[in-house]
Amino acid sequence: MPRFFVPSDDITPTSVTVRGNDAHHISRALRMAAGEHITVCDSGGREYDCVLRTFTEGAVVADILAVRQQDTEPPYRLVLYQGLPKGDKLDTVIQKSVECGVCAVVPFESERCVVRMKPEAEDKKRERRRRIAHEAAKQCGRGILPEVGATVSFEAMLQEAKKADLVLFCFEGEGTVPLPRLLADHPVPRGGTIALIIGSEGGFSLAEAARAVEAGCLPTGLGKRILRTETAPIFALACIAAVLELGD
């Protein structure tokens, strides 16, 4: 069933109004008609089973048949901090990490990033990345719309990440602790926040790793193999879900 996210202001006790691009998608791309069913989410944890009623220019109105609490979100909030990779790899990371349950993706620059942020293009790129995240959320049945943040510096990333209940710094150097052991030794309260930090193609410098530890990050390894930058976050997210979500 088609799934759409609608602001709470457009939801009444009996009806939902879908506007803009989503309304156009319903009427023009999907060619849906009155009487057909859609699922609407309010990003606040509720899902609405709806039946389409009326179509106007720029808006579609549907009647609410049933309301329920969504159950597709992980029992924790997970923010992925991803070092800027080359090419379109970040698009893939955003899409797949949303499917794996992240609530936000924040790109950052580090010493070994080949790609650098271009301020003049940042707004356009962020808007495209948000669309990728939103389409992935619809496709996989998420209950919220994950956010994609603006690209930040390494230091700004650390300052933001350290606010989480658990900060995982993925590093291939010495002194790391296996991810499952960290998750067992540092339990995250239900609804708590996990920050997952992944480097770009070149990984992190020793100075950056030391700075991360100073900031309170926990260095962790992802096994004996070296994973590509676009593989590492998906692998780590799957490991986290296996321990903290699938085991419930």
Side-chain angles (χ1 to χ4, degrees), residues 78-81 157 161 164-171 177-183 186 188 193-199 204 212 216-222 236-237 240 244:
L78 206 153
V79 180
L80 170 63
Y81 295 90
M157 177 274 294
D165 297 288
L166 176 64
V167 187
L168 303 171
F169 183 80
C170 295
F171 185 58
V177 178
L179 182 55
R181 189 185 307 166
L182 281 181
L183 294 174
H186 300 271
V188 176
T193 302
I194 301 172
L196 176 66
I197 303 172
I198 303 287
F204 295 106
C217 303
L218 299 177
T220 186
L222 298 178
L237 290 168
I240 293 170
L244 301 183

PDB file of all heavy atoms in Angstrom, residues 78-81 157 161 164-171 177-183 186 188 193-199 204 212 216-222 236-237 240 244:
ATOM      1  N   LEU A  78      19.438   6.230  16.336  1.00  0.00           N
ATOM      2  CA  LEU A  78      20.797   6.037  15.831  1.00  0.00           C
ATOM      3  C   LEU A  78      21.114   7.113  14.804  1.00  0.00           C
ATOM      4  O   LEU A  78      20.402   7.274  13.821  1.00  0.00           O
ATOM      5  CB  LEU A  78      20.964   4.646  15.209  1.00  0.00           C
ATOM      6  CG  LEU A  78      22.409   4.133  15.234  1.00  0.00           C
ATOM      7  CD1 LEU A  78      22.453   2.628  15.259  1.00  0.00           C
ATOM      8  CD2 LEU A  78      23.222   4.687  14.084  1.00  0.00           C
ATOM      9  N   VAL A  79      22.190   7.857  15.079  1.00  0.00           N
ATOM     10  CA  VAL A  79      22.658   8.895  14.155  1.00  0.00           C
ATOM     11  C   VAL A  79      23.955   8.418  13.529  1.00  0.00           C
ATOM     12  O   VAL A  79      24.914   8.076  14.236  1.00  0.00           O
ATOM     13  CB  VAL A  79      22.889  10.232  14.880  1.00  0.00           C
ATOM     14  CG1 VAL A  79      23.362  11.290  13.890  1.00  0.00           C
ATOM     15  CG2 VAL A  79      21.616  10.684  15.579  1.00  0.00           C
ATOM     16  N   LEU A  80      23.991   8.388  12.199  1.00  0.00           N
ATOM     17  CA  LEU A  80      25.184   7.991  11.469  1.00  0.00           C
ATOM     18  C   LEU A  80      25.956   9.236  11.058  1.00  0.00           C
ATOM     19  O   LEU A  80      25.426  10.118  10.373  1.00  0.00           O
ATOM     20  CB  LEU A  80      24.806   7.184  10.223  1.00  0.00           C
ATOM     21  CG  LEU A  80      25.938   6.909   9.227  1.00  0.00           C
ATOM     22  CD1 LEU A  80      27.028   6.051   9.858  1.00  0.00           C
ATOM     23  CD2 LEU A  80      25.396   6.260   7.959  1.00  0.00           C
ATOM     24  N   TYR A  81      27.228   9.303  11.483  1.00  0.00           N
ATOM     25  CA  TYR A  81      28.137  10.352  11.045  1.00  0.00           C
ATOM     26  C   TYR A  81      29.078   9.731  10.022  1.00  0.00           C
ATOM     27  O   TYR A  81      29.880   8.846  10.355  1.00  0.00           O
ATOM     28  CB  TYR A  81      28.910  10.925  12.231  1.00  0.00           C
ATOM     29  CG  TYR A  81      28.012  11.631  13.227  1.00  0.00           C
ATOM     30  CD1 TYR A  81      27.439  10.937  14.288  1.00  0.00           C
ATOM     31  CD2 TYR A  81      27.730  12.987  13.085  1.00  0.00           C
ATOM     32  CE1 TYR A  81      26.607  11.585  15.190  1.00  0.00           C
ATOM     33  CE2 TYR A  81      26.899  13.633  13.992  1.00  0.00           C
ATOM     34  CZ  TYR A  81      26.341  12.929  15.039  1.00  0.00           C
ATOM     35  OH  TYR A  81      25.508  13.570  15.927  1.00  0.00           O
ATOM     36  N   MET A 157      31.616  17.592  14.240  1.00  0.00           N
ATOM     37  CA  MET A 157      30.980  16.274  14.318  1.00  0.00           C
ATOM     38  C   MET A 157      31.189  15.665  15.702  1.00  0.00           C
ATOM     39  O   MET A 157      30.244  15.149  16.317  1.00  0.00           O
ATOM     40  CB  MET A 157      31.564  15.359  13.239  1.00  0.00           C
ATOM     41  CG  MET A 157      31.055  13.929  13.243  1.00  0.00           C
ATOM     42  SD  MET A 157      31.964  12.828  14.362  1.00  0.00           S
ATOM     43  CE  MET A 157      33.584  12.773  13.588  1.00  0.00           C
ATOM     44  N   ALA A 161      28.341  14.510  18.233  1.00  0.00           N
ATOM     45  CA  ALA A 161      28.208  13.077  18.496  1.00  0.00           C
ATOM     46  C   ALA A 161      28.328  12.744  19.980  1.00  0.00           C
ATOM     47  O   ALA A 161      27.651  11.839  20.479  1.00  0.00           O
ATOM     48  CB  ALA A 161      29.254  12.302  17.699  1.00  0.00           C
ATOM     49  N   ALA A 164      25.463  11.878  22.528  1.00  0.00           N
ATOM     50  CA  ALA A 164      24.714  10.623  22.505  1.00  0.00           C
ATOM     51  C   ALA A 164      25.014   9.786  23.746  1.00  0.00           C
ATOM     52  O   ALA A 164      26.021   9.991  24.441  1.00  0.00           O
ATOM     53  CB  ALA A 164      25.046   9.841  21.246  1.00  0.00           C
ATOM     54  N   ASP A 165      24.150   8.817  24.029  1.00  0.00           N
ATOM     55  CA  ASP A 165      24.374   7.912  25.158  1.00  0.00           C
ATOM     56  C   ASP A 165      25.548   6.974  24.912  1.00  0.00           C
ATOM     57  O   ASP A 165      26.218   6.546  25.848  1.00  0.00           O
ATOM     58  CB  ASP A 165      23.106   7.087  25.408  1.00  0.00           C
ATOM     59  CG  ASP A 165      21.924   7.955  25.795  1.00  0.00           C
ATOM     60  OD1 ASP A 165      21.914   8.473  26.922  1.00  0.00           O
ATOM     61  OD2 ASP A 165      21.012   8.123  24.958  1.00  0.00           O
ATOM     62  N   LEU A 166      25.776   6.640  23.647  1.00  0.00           N
ATOM     63  CA  LEU A 166      26.874   5.751  23.278  1.00  0.00           C
ATOM     64  C   LEU A 166      27.438   6.245  21.957  1.00  0.00           C
ATOM     65  O   LEU A 166      26.693   6.442  20.992  1.00  0.00           O
ATOM     66  CB  LEU A 166      26.374   4.311  23.127  1.00  0.00           C
ATOM     67  CG  LEU A 166      27.388   3.257  22.652  1.00  0.00           C
ATOM     68  CD1 LEU A 166      28.513   3.102  23.676  1.00  0.00           C
ATOM     69  CD2 LEU A 166      26.693   1.913  22.421  1.00  0.00           C
ATOM     70  N   VAL A 167      28.774   6.470  21.915  1.00  0.00           N
ATOM     71  CA  VAL A 167      29.420   6.979  20.696  1.00  0.00           C
ATOM     72  C   VAL A 167      30.421   5.934  20.211  1.00  0.00           C
ATOM     73  O   VAL A 167      31.430   5.660  20.877  1.00  0.00           O
ATOM     74  CB  VAL A 167      30.133   8.320  20.945  1.00  0.00           C
ATOM     75  CG1 VAL A 167      30.638   8.896  19.617  1.00  0.00           C
ATOM     76  CG2 VAL A 167      29.214   9.304  21.637  1.00  0.00           C
ATOM     77  N   LEU A 168      30.141   5.356  19.050  1.00  0.00           N
ATOM     78  CA  LEU A 168      30.969   4.300  18.474  1.00  0.00           C
ATOM     79  C   LEU A 168      31.836   4.873  17.362  1.00  0.00           C
ATOM     80  O   LEU A 168      31.314   5.380  16.361  1.00  0.00           O
ATOM     81  CB  LEU A 168      30.077   3.179  17.922  1.00  0.00           C
ATOM     82  CG  LEU A 168      29.120   2.543  18.943  1.00  0.00           C
ATOM     83  CD1 LEU A 168      28.140   1.622  18.232  1.00  0.00           C
ATOM     84  CD2 LEU A 168      29.908   1.788  20.005  1.00  0.00           C
ATOM     85  N   PHE A 169      33.146   4.796  17.532  1.00  0.00           N
ATOM     86  CA  PHE A 169      34.098   5.336  16.569  1.00  0.00           C
ATOM     87  C   PHE A 169      34.759   4.165  15.854  1.00  0.00           C
ATOM     88  O   PHE A 169      35.598   3.469  16.438  1.00  0.00           O
ATOM     89  CB  PHE A 169      35.135   6.197  17.301  1.00  0.00           C
ATOM     90  CG  PHE A 169      36.140   6.867  16.407  1.00  0.00           C
ATOM     91  CD1 PHE A 169      35.812   8.021  15.720  1.00  0.00           C
ATOM     92  CD2 PHE A 169      37.413   6.349  16.264  1.00  0.00           C
ATOM     93  CE1 PHE A 169      36.744   8.651  14.899  1.00  0.00           C
ATOM     94  CE2 PHE A 169      38.352   6.958  15.451  1.00  0.00           C
ATOM     95  CZ  PHE A 169      38.020   8.124  14.763  1.00  0.00           C
ATOM     96  N   CYS A 170      34.367   3.911  14.621  1.00  0.00           N
ATOM     97  CA  CYS A 170      34.879   2.759  13.887  1.00  0.00           C
ATOM     98  C   CYS A 170      36.271   3.064  13.348  1.00  0.00           C
ATOM     99  O   CYS A 170      36.462   4.012  12.579  1.00  0.00           O
ATOM    100  CB  CYS A 170      33.933   2.396  12.740  1.00  0.00           C
ATOM    101  SG  CYS A 170      32.322   1.846  13.321  1.00  0.00           S
ATOM    102  N   PHE A 171      37.240   2.224  13.758  1.00  0.00           N
ATOM    103  CA  PHE A 171      38.652   2.503  13.473  1.00  0.00           C
ATOM    104  C   PHE A 171      39.387   1.185  13.261  1.00  0.00           C
ATOM    105  O   PHE A 171      39.143   0.208  13.989  1.00  0.00           O
ATOM    106  CB  PHE A 171      39.259   3.272  14.658  1.00  0.00           C
ATOM    107  CG  PHE A 171      40.668   3.720  14.468  1.00  0.00           C
ATOM    108  CD1 PHE A 171      41.020   4.537  13.397  1.00  0.00           C
ATOM    109  CD2 PHE A 171      41.655   3.338  15.362  1.00  0.00           C
ATOM    110  CE1 PHE A 171      42.336   4.958  13.235  1.00  0.00           C
ATOM    111  CE2 PHE A 171      42.967   3.763  15.207  1.00  0.00           C
ATOM    112  CZ  PHE A 171      43.309   4.576  14.141  1.00  0.00           C
ATOM    113  N   VAL A 177      37.813  -2.183  20.510  1.00  0.00           N
ATOM    114  CA  VAL A 177      37.062  -3.242  21.171  1.00  0.00           C
ATOM    115  C   VAL A 177      35.991  -3.724  20.203  1.00  0.00           C
ATOM    116  O   VAL A 177      35.338  -2.912  19.549  1.00  0.00           O
ATOM    117  CB  VAL A 177      36.405  -2.722  22.471  1.00  0.00           C
ATOM    118  CG1 VAL A 177      35.571  -3.810  23.135  1.00  0.00           C
ATOM    119  CG2 VAL A 177      37.467  -2.187  23.425  1.00  0.00           C
ATOM    120  N   PRO A 178      35.811  -5.045  20.080  1.00  0.00           N
ATOM    121  CA  PRO A 178      34.774  -5.538  19.155  1.00  0.00           C
ATOM    122  C   PRO A 178      33.417  -4.931  19.449  1.00  0.00           C
ATOM    123  O   PRO A 178      33.032  -4.734  20.603  1.00  0.00           O
ATOM    124  CB  PRO A 178      34.787  -7.054  19.401  1.00  0.00           C
ATOM    125  CG  PRO A 178      36.166  -7.347  19.885  1.00  0.00           C
ATOM    126  CD  PRO A 178      36.560  -6.148  20.705  1.00  0.00           C
ATOM    127  N   LEU A 179      32.682  -4.646  18.396  1.00  0.00           N
ATOM    128  CA  LEU A 179      31.391  -3.975  18.528  1.00  0.00           C
ATOM    129  C   LEU A 179      30.416  -4.708  19.450  1.00  0.00           C
ATOM    130  O   LEU A 179      29.793  -4.070  20.319  1.00  0.00           O
ATOM    131  CB  LEU A 179      30.779  -3.780  17.136  1.00  0.00           C
ATOM    132  CG  LEU A 179      29.437  -3.060  17.052  1.00  0.00           C
ATOM    133  CD1 LEU A 179      29.488  -1.703  17.730  1.00  0.00           C
ATOM    134  CD2 LEU A 179      29.019  -2.906  15.598  1.00  0.00           C
ATOM    135  N   PRO A 180      30.234  -6.027  19.330  1.00  0.00           N
ATOM    136  CA  PRO A 180      29.292  -6.709  20.228  1.00  0.00           C
ATOM    137  C   PRO A 180      29.647  -6.539  21.703  1.00  0.00           C
ATOM    138  O   PRO A 180      28.757  -6.415  22.550  1.00  0.00           O
ATOM    139  CB  PRO A 180      29.374  -8.165  19.793  1.00  0.00           C
ATOM    140  CG  PRO A 180      29.838  -8.110  18.368  1.00  0.00           C
ATOM    141  CD  PRO A 180      30.798  -6.961  18.328  1.00  0.00           C
ATOM    142  N   ARG A 181      30.949  -6.511  22.012  1.00  0.00           N
ATOM    143  CA  ARG A 181      31.355  -6.367  23.406  1.00  0.00           C
ATOM    144  C   ARG A 181      31.024  -4.963  23.923  1.00  0.00           C
ATOM    145  O   ARG A 181      30.565  -4.793  25.053  1.00  0.00           O
ATOM    146  CB  ARG A 181      32.854  -6.633  23.558  1.00  0.00           C
ATOM    147  CG  ARG A 181      33.312  -6.722  25.016  1.00  0.00           C
ATOM    148  CD  ARG A 181      34.810  -6.853  25.138  1.00  0.00           C
ATOM    149  NE  ARG A 181      35.313  -7.957  24.322  1.00  0.00           N
ATOM    150  CZ  ARG A 181      36.604  -8.127  24.042  1.00  0.00           C
ATOM    151  NH1 ARG A 181      37.499  -7.262  24.500  1.00  0.00           N
ATOM    152  NH2 ARG A 181      36.989  -9.152  23.315  1.00  0.00           N
ATOM    153  N   LEU A 182      31.234  -3.948  23.088  1.00  0.00           N
ATOM    154  CA  LEU A 182      30.893  -2.587  23.504  1.00  0.00           C
ATOM    155  C   LEU A 182      29.399  -2.451  23.753  1.00  0.00           C
ATOM    156  O   LEU A 182      28.977  -1.804  24.717  1.00  0.00           O
ATOM    157  CB  LEU A 182      31.335  -1.584  22.437  1.00  0.00           C
ATOM    158  CG  LEU A 182      32.810  -1.209  22.400  1.00  0.00           C
ATOM    159  CD1 LEU A 182      33.061  -0.191  21.298  1.00  0.00           C
ATOM    160  CD2 LEU A 182      33.264  -0.651  23.741  1.00  0.00           C
ATOM    161  N   LEU A 183      28.603  -3.051  22.889  1.00  0.00           N
ATOM    162  CA  LEU A 183      27.155  -2.967  23.055  1.00  0.00           C
ATOM    163  C   LEU A 183      26.703  -3.671  24.333  1.00  0.00           C
ATOM    164  O   LEU A 183      25.750  -3.243  24.983  1.00  0.00           O
ATOM    165  CB  LEU A 183      26.455  -3.576  21.841  1.00  0.00           C
ATOM    166  CG  LEU A 183      26.649  -2.834  20.521  1.00  0.00           C
ATOM    167  CD1 LEU A 183      26.024  -3.617  19.375  1.00  0.00           C
ATOM    168  CD2 LEU A 183      26.063  -1.429  20.589  1.00  0.00           C
ATOM    169  N   HIS A 186      28.096  -1.454  27.444  1.00  0.00           N
ATOM    170  CA  HIS A 186      27.568  -0.089  27.558  1.00  0.00           C
ATOM    171  C   HIS A 186      26.103  -0.082  27.109  1.00  0.00           C
ATOM    172  O   HIS A 186      25.783   0.408  26.023  1.00  0.00           O
ATOM    173  CB  HIS A 186      28.392   0.877  26.711  1.00  0.00           C
ATOM    174  CG  HIS A 186      29.841   0.942  27.090  1.00  0.00           C
ATOM    175  ND1 HIS A 186      30.312   1.806  28.040  1.00  0.00           N
ATOM    176  CD2 HIS A 186      30.901   0.219  26.651  1.00  0.00           C
ATOM    177  CE1 HIS A 186      31.617   1.636  28.172  1.00  0.00           C
ATOM    178  NE2 HIS A 186      32.001   0.682  27.341  1.00  0.00           N
ATOM    179  N   VAL A 188      22.411   0.769  26.253  1.00  0.00           N
ATOM    180  CA  VAL A 188      21.743   2.020  25.908  1.00  0.00           C
ATOM    181  C   VAL A 188      20.297   1.937  26.382  1.00  0.00           C
ATOM    182  O   VAL A 188      19.601   0.953  26.093  1.00  0.00           O
ATOM    183  CB  VAL A 188      21.785   2.258  24.385  1.00  0.00           C
ATOM    184  CG1 VAL A 188      21.010   3.514  24.009  1.00  0.00           C
ATOM    185  CG2 VAL A 188      23.225   2.366  23.908  1.00  0.00           C
ATOM    186  N   THR A 193      20.158   7.311  22.548  1.00  0.00           N
ATOM    187  CA  THR A 193      20.782   7.651  21.270  1.00  0.00           C
ATOM    188  C   THR A 193      22.157   7.009  21.139  1.00  0.00           C
ATOM    189  O   THR A 193      22.967   7.052  22.064  1.00  0.00           O
ATOM    190  CB  THR A 193      20.923   9.174  21.116  1.00  0.00           C
ATOM    191  OG1 THR A 193      19.630   9.779  21.209  1.00  0.00           O
ATOM    192  CG2 THR A 193      21.546   9.537  19.775  1.00  0.00           C
ATOM    193  N   ILE A 194      22.390   6.431  19.960  1.00  0.00           N
ATOM    194  CA  ILE A 194      23.691   5.882  19.595  1.00  0.00           C
ATOM    195  C   ILE A 194      24.247   6.708  18.444  1.00  0.00           C
ATOM    196  O   ILE A 194      23.536   6.960  17.465  1.00  0.00           O
ATOM    197  CB  ILE A 194      23.583   4.404  19.152  1.00  0.00           C
ATOM    198  CG1 ILE A 194      23.004   3.553  20.275  1.00  0.00           C
ATOM    199  CG2 ILE A 194      24.944   3.871  18.721  1.00  0.00           C
ATOM    200  CD1 ILE A 194      22.681   2.128  19.846  1.00  0.00           C
ATOM    201  N   ALA A 195      25.496   7.133  18.553  1.00  0.00           N
ATOM    202  CA  ALA A 195      26.180   7.804  17.453  1.00  0.00           C
ATOM    203  C   ALA A 195      27.175   6.820  16.852  1.00  0.00           C
ATOM    204  O   ALA A 195      27.975   6.223  17.567  1.00  0.00           O
ATOM    205  CB  ALA A 195      26.900   9.053  17.949  1.00  0.00           C
ATOM    206  N   LEU A 196      27.113   6.654  15.548  1.00  0.00           N
ATOM    207  CA  LEU A 196      28.011   5.751  14.833  1.00  0.00           C
ATOM    208  C   LEU A 196      28.849   6.588  13.874  1.00  0.00           C
ATOM    209  O   LEU A 196      28.310   7.255  12.990  1.00  0.00           O
ATOM    210  CB  LEU A 196      27.205   4.708  14.066  1.00  0.00           C
ATOM    211  CG  LEU A 196      28.004   3.745  13.177  1.00  0.00           C
ATOM    212  CD1 LEU A 196      28.899   2.842  14.023  1.00  0.00           C
ATOM    213  CD2 LEU A 196      27.056   2.910  12.315  1.00  0.00           C
ATOM    214  N   ILE A 197      30.179   6.544  14.047  1.00  0.00           N
ATOM    215  CA  ILE A 197      31.085   7.379  13.252  1.00  0.00           C
ATOM    216  C   ILE A 197      31.896   6.494  12.299  1.00  0.00           C
ATOM    217  O   ILE A 197      32.590   5.579  12.744  1.00  0.00           O
ATOM    218  CB  ILE A 197      32.035   8.182  14.159  1.00  0.00           C
ATOM    219  CG1 ILE A 197      31.223   9.037  15.149  1.00  0.00           C
ATOM    220  CG2 ILE A 197      32.964   9.060  13.329  1.00  0.00           C
ATOM    221  CD1 ILE A 197      32.065   9.720  16.206  1.00  0.00           C
ATOM    222  N   ILE A 198      31.790   6.786  11.007  1.00  0.00           N
ATOM    223  CA  ILE A 198      32.461   6.016   9.959  1.00  0.00           C
ATOM    224  C   ILE A 198      33.342   6.950   9.143  1.00  0.00           C
ATOM    225  O   ILE A 198      32.902   8.045   8.754  1.00  0.00           O
ATOM    226  CB  ILE A 198      31.438   5.344   9.022  1.00  0.00           C
ATOM    227  CG1 ILE A 198      30.480   4.440   9.803  1.00  0.00           C
ATOM    228  CG2 ILE A 198      32.137   4.580   7.901  1.00  0.00           C
ATOM    229  CD1 ILE A 198      31.079   3.150  10.299  1.00  0.00           C
ATOM    230  N   GLY A 199      34.569   6.520   8.841  1.00  0.00           N
ATOM    231  CA  GLY A 199      35.475   7.352   8.064  1.00  0.00           C
ATOM    232  C   GLY A 199      35.258   7.243   6.568  1.00  0.00           C
ATOM    233  O   GLY A 199      34.491   6.405   6.088  1.00  0.00           O
ATOM    234  N   PHE A 204      40.716   7.167   9.257  1.00  0.00           N
ATOM    235  CA  PHE A 204      41.080   8.275  10.133  1.00  0.00           C
ATOM    236  C   PHE A 204      42.574   8.280  10.402  1.00  0.00           C
ATOM    237  O   PHE A 204      43.221   7.226  10.457  1.00  0.00           O
ATOM    238  CB  PHE A 204      40.337   8.164  11.475  1.00  0.00           C
ATOM    239  CG  PHE A 204      38.847   8.309  11.358  1.00  0.00           C
ATOM    240  CD1 PHE A 204      38.009   7.203  11.485  1.00  0.00           C
ATOM    241  CD2 PHE A 204      38.270   9.542  11.116  1.00  0.00           C
ATOM    242  CE1 PHE A 204      36.634   7.329  11.385  1.00  0.00           C
ATOM    243  CE2 PHE A 204      36.897   9.686  11.017  1.00  0.00           C
ATOM    244  CZ  PHE A 204      36.068   8.578  11.141  1.00  0.00           C
ATOM    245  N   ALA A 212      39.215  11.706  18.986  1.00  0.00           N
ATOM    246  CA  ALA A 212      37.914  11.078  19.205  1.00  0.00           C
ATOM    247  C   ALA A 212      37.842  10.447  20.597  1.00  0.00           C
ATOM    248  O   ALA A 212      36.835  10.566  21.293  1.00  0.00           O
ATOM    249  CB  ALA A 212      37.653  10.034  18.131  1.00  0.00           C
ATOM    250  N   GLY A 216      35.454  11.270  24.177  1.00  0.00           N
ATOM    251  CA  GLY A 216      34.573  10.289  24.793  1.00  0.00           C
ATOM    252  C   GLY A 216      34.061   9.204  23.871  1.00  0.00           C
ATOM    253  O   GLY A 216      33.209   8.397  24.263  1.00  0.00           O
ATOM    254  N   CYS A 217      34.573   9.168  22.642  1.00  0.00           N
ATOM    255  CA  CYS A 217      34.157   8.114  21.710  1.00  0.00           C
ATOM    256  C   CYS A 217      34.808   6.791  22.091  1.00  0.00           C
ATOM    257  O   CYS A 217      35.920   6.760  22.633  1.00  0.00           O
ATOM    258  CB  CYS A 217      34.557   8.473  20.280  1.00  0.00           C
ATOM    259  SG  CYS A 217      33.922  10.050  19.689  1.00  0.00           S
ATOM    260  N   LEU A 218      34.129   5.697  21.779  1.00  0.00           N
ATOM    261  CA  LEU A 218      34.655   4.361  22.057  1.00  0.00           C
ATOM    262  C   LEU A 218      35.130   3.741  20.746  1.00  0.00           C
ATOM    263  O   LEU A 218      34.317   3.463  19.857  1.00  0.00           O
ATOM    264  CB  LEU A 218      33.568   3.488  22.683  1.00  0.00           C
ATOM    265  CG  LEU A 218      33.005   3.992  24.017  1.00  0.00           C
ATOM    266  CD1 LEU A 218      31.884   3.066  24.495  1.00  0.00           C
ATOM    267  CD2 LEU A 218      34.098   4.095  25.065  1.00  0.00           C
ATOM    268  N   PRO A 219      36.451   3.514  20.600  1.00  0.00           N
ATOM    269  CA  PRO A 219      36.964   2.935  19.355  1.00  0.00           C
ATOM    270  C   PRO A 219      36.517   1.476  19.216  1.00  0.00           C
ATOM    271  O   PRO A 219      36.651   0.686  20.156  1.00  0.00           O
ATOM    272  CB  PRO A 219      38.486   3.022  19.509  1.00  0.00           C
ATOM    273  CG  PRO A 219      38.728   3.958  20.643  1.00  0.00           C
ATOM    274  CD  PRO A 219      37.532   3.836  21.540  1.00  0.00           C
ATOM    275  N   THR A 220      35.980   1.158  18.069  1.00  0.00           N
ATOM    276  CA  THR A 220      35.508  -0.206  17.853  1.00  0.00           C
ATOM    277  C   THR A 220      35.945  -0.707  16.488  1.00  0.00           C
ATOM    278  O   THR A 220      36.121   0.078  15.548  1.00  0.00           O
ATOM    279  CB  THR A 220      33.978  -0.286  17.982  1.00  0.00           C
ATOM    280  OG1 THR A 220      33.566  -1.647  17.899  1.00  0.00           O
ATOM    281  CG2 THR A 220      33.285   0.501  16.884  1.00  0.00           C
ATOM    282  N   GLY A 221      36.149  -2.022  16.403  1.00  0.00           N
ATOM    283  CA  GLY A 221      36.507  -2.641  15.137  1.00  0.00           C
ATOM    284  C   GLY A 221      35.321  -3.383  14.548  1.00  0.00           C
ATOM    285  O   GLY A 221      34.394  -3.766  15.259  1.00  0.00           O
ATOM    286  N   LEU A 222      35.385  -3.587  13.231  1.00  0.00           N
ATOM    287  CA  LEU A 222      34.305  -4.282  12.534  1.00  0.00           C
ATOM    288  C   LEU A 222      34.797  -5.599  11.941  1.00  0.00           C
ATOM    289  O   LEU A 222      34.392  -6.003  10.859  1.00  0.00           O
ATOM    290  CB  LEU A 222      33.736  -3.380  11.425  1.00  0.00           C
ATOM    291  CG  LEU A 222      33.114  -2.068  11.897  1.00  0.00           C
ATOM    292  CD1 LEU A 222      32.627  -1.243  10.710  1.00  0.00           C
ATOM    293  CD2 LEU A 222      31.964  -2.320  12.871  1.00  0.00           C
ATOM    294  N   ALA A 236      27.882  -2.248  10.186  1.00  0.00           N
ATOM    295  CA  ALA A 236      27.788  -1.882  11.605  1.00  0.00           C
ATOM    296  C   ALA A 236      26.337  -1.751  12.047  1.00  0.00           C
ATOM    297  O   ALA A 236      25.958  -2.216  13.134  1.00  0.00           O
ATOM    298  CB  ALA A 236      28.541  -0.578  11.861  1.00  0.00           C
ATOM    299  N   LEU A 237      25.501  -1.140  11.207  1.00  0.00           N
ATOM    300  CA  LEU A 237      24.091  -0.981  11.551  1.00  0.00           C
ATOM    301  C   LEU A 237      23.396  -2.331  11.675  1.00  0.00           C
ATOM    302  O   LEU A 237      22.548  -2.528  12.551  1.00  0.00           O
ATOM    303  CB  LEU A 237      23.389  -0.118  10.500  1.00  0.00           C
ATOM    304  CG  LEU A 237      23.776   1.363  10.484  1.00  0.00           C
ATOM    305  CD1 LEU A 237      23.247   2.033   9.231  1.00  0.00           C
ATOM    306  CD2 LEU A 237      23.276   2.064  11.737  1.00  0.00           C
ATOM    307  N   ILE A 240      24.408  -3.807  15.019  1.00  0.00           N
ATOM    308  CA  ILE A 240      23.697  -3.153  16.118  1.00  0.00           C
ATOM    309  C   ILE A 240      22.258  -3.652  16.196  1.00  0.00           C
ATOM    310  O   ILE A 240      21.739  -3.952  17.278  1.00  0.00           O
ATOM    311  CB  ILE A 240      23.754  -1.626  15.948  1.00  0.00           C
ATOM    312  CG1 ILE A 240      25.196  -1.134  16.113  1.00  0.00           C
ATOM    313  CG2 ILE A 240      22.834  -0.937  16.957  1.00  0.00           C
ATOM    314  CD1 ILE A 240      25.398   0.319  15.717  1.00  0.00           C
ATOM    315  N   LEU A 244      20.571  -5.322  19.456  1.00  0.00           N
ATOM    316  CA  LEU A 244      19.659  -4.487  20.229  1.00  0.00           C
ATOM    317  C   LEU A 244      18.207  -4.502  19.774  1.00  0.00           C
ATOM    318  O   LEU A 244      17.328  -4.086  20.518  1.00  0.00           O
ATOM    319  CB  LEU A 244      20.166  -3.028  20.220  1.00  0.00           C
ATOM    320  CG  LEU A 244      21.576  -2.784  20.784  1.00  0.00           C
ATOM    321  CD1 LEU A 244      21.886  -1.306  20.767  1.00  0.00           C
ATOM    322  CD2 LEU A 244      21.713  -3.346  22.193  1.00  0.00           C
TER     323      LEU A 244
END
